[in-house]
Amino acid sequence: MSPSKAAQLNPKTRDALTAAQLYYLQDLTMDAIAHELHTSRSSVSRLLGHARETGLVEIQVRSPLDMPRQLEGDIRAQFGITAHVVPVPDQTSDVERLDRVALSAARILGGFIDSNMSLGVAWGSTMSALSRHLLSKATHNSTVVQLNGAANPRTTGILYASEILQRFGSAYGATVQQFPVPAVFDDPATKAALWRERSISRVVEMQKTLDTIVFGLGSPFAGVPSHVYIGGYLDDDDFAQLRATGAVGDIATVFYREDGSSDGIPLNDRSSGPSLDVLRGIARRVCVVSGESKLQTLRGALAARLITDLIVDSGTARKLLAG
């Protein structure tokens, strides 16, 4: 960073940056840094912690004996995607497993985001967990776009979805574009009519030109229940229809089968999410998955070619490769 840019930082961030450079790049001890900055050793420790928490410093641990790296290579060879495998002990609970994967995903995602980019976000249990761990990264002229509506017969869904989106917007200094429509319409004709409204069609067009999307996989089988299946978005007839058509999960409330097909699933005609063809047209598609209960759903998404980057726990990765 140039001296002129460093001078523009607030004092704490400037000192944290200096301490991090001295500690990580020049191998100075905390005592030596404390002497150089005319402060105490404990203050240096706090500055280094601030540098890690705010994203000034990213720490990666790499080992040639690390099993996750082997799994990542195997997933790339078998499915042609980039994988990030999060090591999680097998005895970990579903809730803790999700939180660990979400924490890692939040840090990985920051490396994909930059200025002048648009990021699509599909709300849900996984994205809610991920959004709580996002690290701040200053960008400009960036936009976060809601991929599907969140309203249902019980609630407008605005509070739930907007809380997730605002966390992304705050983390990246991005403008947030909400999508105030039902998650699933009662009648396809109502959706068609609303899609002709300029205020709605503008967002629909934005979704088609996104640079990156990040999403979890909705699954009726998940250990941590997917929000769309427990939040009042689907009624008994909808569930029966999904079973009858062989649907195994969804992305942004667009449903698909384990073989990756989605044709002949009537619920998709009423869904507010982008079609699978639209999703496939987006350059980077980051999928975050936790738990073996989502294996069938994950296989369907891979078969549909909906994923370019997969962030997954080690147990689920092993099961995926086992077939």
Side-chain angles (χ1 to χ4, degrees), residues 208-235:
K208 296 177 182 178
T209 59
L210 294 167
D211 297 297
T212 298
I213 56 174
V214 59
F215 55 89
L217 299 179
S219 169
F221 320 115
V224 178
S226 298
H227 194 72
V228 71
Y229 296 94
I230 63 169
Y233 293 91
L234 305 174
D235 59 27

Short mmCIF file of all heavy atoms in Angstrom, two decimals, residues 208-235:
data_model
loop_
_atom_site.label_atom_id
_atom_site.label_comp_id
_atom_site.label_asym_id
_atom_site.label_seq_id
_atom_site.Cartn_x
_atom_site.Cartn_y
_atom_site.Cartn_z
N LYS A 208 -29.82 -11.80 -14.70
CA LYS A 208 -29.25 -12.47 -15.88
C LYS A 208 -27.82 -12.04 -16.18
O LYS A 208 -27.12 -12.71 -16.93
CB LYS A 208 -30.13 -12.19 -17.11
CG LYS A 208 -31.54 -12.76 -17.01
CD LYS A 208 -32.37 -12.37 -18.22
CE LYS A 208 -33.79 -12.90 -18.11
NZ LYS A 208 -34.62 -12.48 -19.28
N THR A 209 -27.38 -10.94 -15.58
CA THR A 209 -26.05 -10.41 -15.90
C THR A 209 -25.13 -10.41 -14.67
O THR A 209 -24.14 -9.68 -14.65
CB THR A 209 -26.16 -8.98 -16.45
OG1 THR A 209 -26.80 -8.13 -15.49
CG2 THR A 209 -26.97 -8.96 -17.74
N LEU A 210 -25.43 -11.21 -13.68
CA LEU A 210 -24.61 -11.28 -12.48
C LEU A 210 -23.22 -11.85 -12.79
O LEU A 210 -23.07 -12.68 -13.68
CB LEU A 210 -25.30 -12.15 -11.43
CG LEU A 210 -26.62 -11.61 -10.86
CD1 LEU A 210 -27.35 -12.70 -10.09
CD2 LEU A 210 -26.36 -10.40 -9.96
N ASP A 211 -22.24 -11.42 -12.02
CA ASP A 211 -20.89 -11.95 -12.16
C ASP A 211 -20.72 -13.24 -11.36
O ASP A 211 -20.05 -14.19 -11.80
CB ASP A 211 -19.86 -10.93 -11.68
CG ASP A 211 -19.88 -9.66 -12.51
OD1 ASP A 211 -19.59 -9.75 -13.72
OD2 ASP A 211 -20.19 -8.59 -11.96
N THR A 212 -21.31 -13.26 -10.17
CA THR A 212 -21.16 -14.39 -9.25
C THR A 212 -22.46 -14.59 -8.50
O THR A 212 -23.17 -13.62 -8.20
CB THR A 212 -20.03 -14.11 -8.24
OG1 THR A 212 -18.79 -13.96 -8.93
CG2 THR A 212 -19.89 -15.24 -7.22
N ILE A 213 -22.79 -15.84 -8.21
CA ILE A 213 -23.91 -16.13 -7.31
C ILE A 213 -23.40 -17.05 -6.21
O ILE A 213 -22.46 -17.83 -6.40
CB ILE A 213 -25.11 -16.78 -8.02
CG1 ILE A 213 -24.70 -18.07 -8.76
CG2 ILE A 213 -25.77 -15.80 -8.97
CD1 ILE A 213 -25.88 -18.83 -9.35
N VAL A 214 -24.01 -16.94 -5.04
CA VAL A 214 -23.69 -17.83 -3.92
C VAL A 214 -25.00 -18.37 -3.36
O VAL A 214 -25.96 -17.62 -3.19
CB VAL A 214 -22.85 -17.10 -2.84
CG1 VAL A 214 -23.58 -15.88 -2.28
CG2 VAL A 214 -22.46 -18.07 -1.73
N PHE A 215 -25.01 -19.66 -3.10
CA PHE A 215 -26.27 -20.29 -2.70
C PHE A 215 -26.02 -21.57 -1.92
O PHE A 215 -24.96 -22.19 -2.02
CB PHE A 215 -27.12 -20.62 -3.94
CG PHE A 215 -26.41 -21.46 -4.97
CD1 PHE A 215 -26.46 -22.85 -4.93
CD2 PHE A 215 -25.68 -20.87 -6.00
CE1 PHE A 215 -25.79 -23.62 -5.87
CE2 PHE A 215 -25.01 -21.63 -6.95
CZ PHE A 215 -25.06 -23.02 -6.88
N GLY A 216 -26.99 -21.94 -1.12
CA GLY A 216 -27.05 -23.26 -0.52
C GLY A 216 -28.02 -24.09 -1.34
O GLY A 216 -28.64 -23.61 -2.29
N LEU A 217 -28.15 -25.35 -0.98
CA LEU A 217 -29.09 -26.24 -1.66
C LEU A 217 -30.27 -26.52 -0.75
O LEU A 217 -30.08 -27.05 0.35
CB LEU A 217 -28.39 -27.55 -2.05
CG LEU A 217 -27.19 -27.43 -2.99
CD1 LEU A 217 -26.59 -28.81 -3.24
CD2 LEU A 217 -27.59 -26.77 -4.31
N GLY A 218 -31.46 -26.17 -1.22
CA GLY A 218 -32.65 -26.53 -0.47
C GLY A 218 -32.90 -28.01 -0.57
O GLY A 218 -32.83 -28.58 -1.66
N SER A 219 -33.17 -28.63 0.56
CA SER A 219 -33.37 -30.08 0.56
C SER A 219 -34.41 -30.48 1.59
O SER A 219 -34.36 -30.02 2.73
CB SER A 219 -32.05 -30.79 0.88
OG SER A 219 -32.27 -32.16 1.12
N PRO A 220 -35.35 -31.34 1.21
CA PRO A 220 -36.32 -31.85 2.18
C PRO A 220 -35.71 -32.88 3.12
O PRO A 220 -36.35 -33.31 4.07
CB PRO A 220 -37.39 -32.49 1.28
CG PRO A 220 -36.67 -32.88 0.04
CD PRO A 220 -35.60 -31.86 -0.15
N PHE A 221 -34.45 -33.29 2.86
CA PHE A 221 -33.82 -34.34 3.65
C PHE A 221 -32.78 -33.81 4.63
O PHE A 221 -32.16 -34.58 5.36
CB PHE A 221 -33.12 -35.35 2.72
CG PHE A 221 -33.89 -35.67 1.47
CD1 PHE A 221 -33.41 -35.31 0.22
CD2 PHE A 221 -35.11 -36.33 1.54
CE1 PHE A 221 -34.11 -35.60 -0.94
CE2 PHE A 221 -35.82 -36.63 0.38
CZ PHE A 221 -35.32 -36.26 -0.85
N ALA A 222 -32.55 -32.51 4.65
CA ALA A 222 -31.41 -31.94 5.37
C ALA A 222 -31.54 -32.09 6.88
O ALA A 222 -32.63 -31.98 7.45
CB ALA A 222 -31.26 -30.46 5.02
N GLY A 223 -30.37 -32.30 7.55
CA GLY A 223 -30.34 -32.37 9.00
C GLY A 223 -30.69 -31.03 9.63
O GLY A 223 -31.39 -30.96 10.64
N VAL A 224 -30.18 -29.94 9.06
CA VAL A 224 -30.62 -28.59 9.42
C VAL A 224 -31.66 -28.21 8.38
O VAL A 224 -31.33 -27.97 7.22
CB VAL A 224 -29.45 -27.59 9.41
CG1 VAL A 224 -29.96 -26.19 9.74
CG2 VAL A 224 -28.38 -28.02 10.42
N PRO A 225 -32.94 -28.16 8.74
CA PRO A 225 -34.01 -28.01 7.75
C PRO A 225 -33.83 -26.80 6.85
O PRO A 225 -33.48 -25.71 7.31
CB PRO A 225 -35.27 -27.87 8.62
CG PRO A 225 -34.92 -28.53 9.92
CD PRO A 225 -33.46 -28.26 10.12
N SER A 226 -34.04 -26.99 5.56
CA SER A 226 -34.00 -25.89 4.61
C SER A 226 -35.21 -25.00 4.82
O SER A 226 -36.34 -25.49 4.98
CB SER A 226 -33.97 -26.44 3.18
OG SER A 226 -32.82 -27.22 2.97
N HIS A 227 -34.97 -23.70 4.81
CA HIS A 227 -36.01 -22.75 5.19
C HIS A 227 -37.25 -22.85 4.30
O HIS A 227 -38.38 -22.72 4.78
CB HIS A 227 -35.45 -21.33 5.15
CG HIS A 227 -36.32 -20.32 5.82
ND1 HIS A 227 -36.47 -20.25 7.19
CD2 HIS A 227 -37.10 -19.33 5.31
CE1 HIS A 227 -37.31 -19.27 7.49
NE2 HIS A 227 -37.70 -18.69 6.37
N VAL A 228 -37.05 -23.10 3.02
CA VAL A 228 -38.19 -23.12 2.10
C VAL A 228 -39.13 -24.28 2.42
O VAL A 228 -40.33 -24.22 2.12
CB VAL A 228 -37.71 -23.18 0.64
CG1 VAL A 228 -37.12 -24.55 0.31
CG2 VAL A 228 -38.85 -22.85 -0.32
N TYR A 229 -38.63 -25.34 3.07
CA TYR A 229 -39.46 -26.51 3.33
C TYR A 229 -40.16 -26.45 4.69
O TYR A 229 -41.06 -27.25 4.96
CB TYR A 229 -38.61 -27.78 3.25
CG TYR A 229 -38.07 -28.02 1.86
CD1 TYR A 229 -36.80 -27.56 1.51
CD2 TYR A 229 -38.82 -28.66 0.88
CE1 TYR A 229 -36.30 -27.73 0.23
CE2 TYR A 229 -38.34 -28.84 -0.40
CZ TYR A 229 -37.07 -28.38 -0.72
OH TYR A 229 -36.58 -28.55 -2.00
N ILE A 230 -39.74 -25.53 5.56
CA ILE A 230 -40.36 -25.45 6.89
C ILE A 230 -40.96 -24.08 7.18
O ILE A 230 -41.59 -23.89 8.21
CB ILE A 230 -39.34 -25.78 7.99
CG1 ILE A 230 -38.19 -24.75 8.00
CG2 ILE A 230 -38.81 -27.20 7.85
CD1 ILE A 230 -37.29 -24.85 9.22
N GLY A 231 -40.77 -23.13 6.27
CA GLY A 231 -41.17 -21.74 6.53
C GLY A 231 -42.54 -21.35 6.02
O GLY A 231 -42.85 -20.15 5.97
N GLY A 232 -43.35 -22.31 5.59
CA GLY A 232 -44.68 -21.98 5.10
C GLY A 232 -44.74 -21.63 3.64
O GLY A 232 -45.74 -21.08 3.17
N TYR A 233 -43.69 -21.94 2.88
CA TYR A 233 -43.66 -21.60 1.46
C TYR A 233 -44.39 -22.64 0.60
O TYR A 233 -44.85 -22.33 -0.49
CB TYR A 233 -42.21 -21.48 0.99
CG TYR A 233 -41.50 -20.30 1.61
CD1 TYR A 233 -40.80 -20.44 2.81
CD2 TYR A 233 -41.55 -19.05 1.02
CE1 TYR A 233 -40.16 -19.36 3.38
CE2 TYR A 233 -40.91 -17.96 1.59
CZ TYR A 233 -40.23 -18.12 2.78
OH TYR A 233 -39.61 -17.04 3.36
N LEU A 234 -44.46 -23.86 1.08
CA LEU A 234 -45.08 -24.95 0.32
C LEU A 234 -46.20 -25.57 1.13
O LEU A 234 -46.09 -25.75 2.35
CB LEU A 234 -44.03 -26.02 -0.01
CG LEU A 234 -42.76 -25.54 -0.73
CD1 LEU A 234 -41.76 -26.69 -0.85
CD2 LEU A 234 -43.09 -24.98 -2.10
N ASP A 235 -47.30 -25.92 0.45
CA ASP A 235 -48.41 -26.58 1.15
C ASP A 235 -48.38 -28.08 0.84
O ASP A 235 -47.48 -28.57 0.13
CB ASP A 235 -49.75 -25.96 0.77
CG ASP A 235 -50.05 -26.01 -0.72
OD1 ASP A 235 -49.53 -26.93 -1.41
OD2 ASP A 235 -50.81 -25.15 -1.21
#
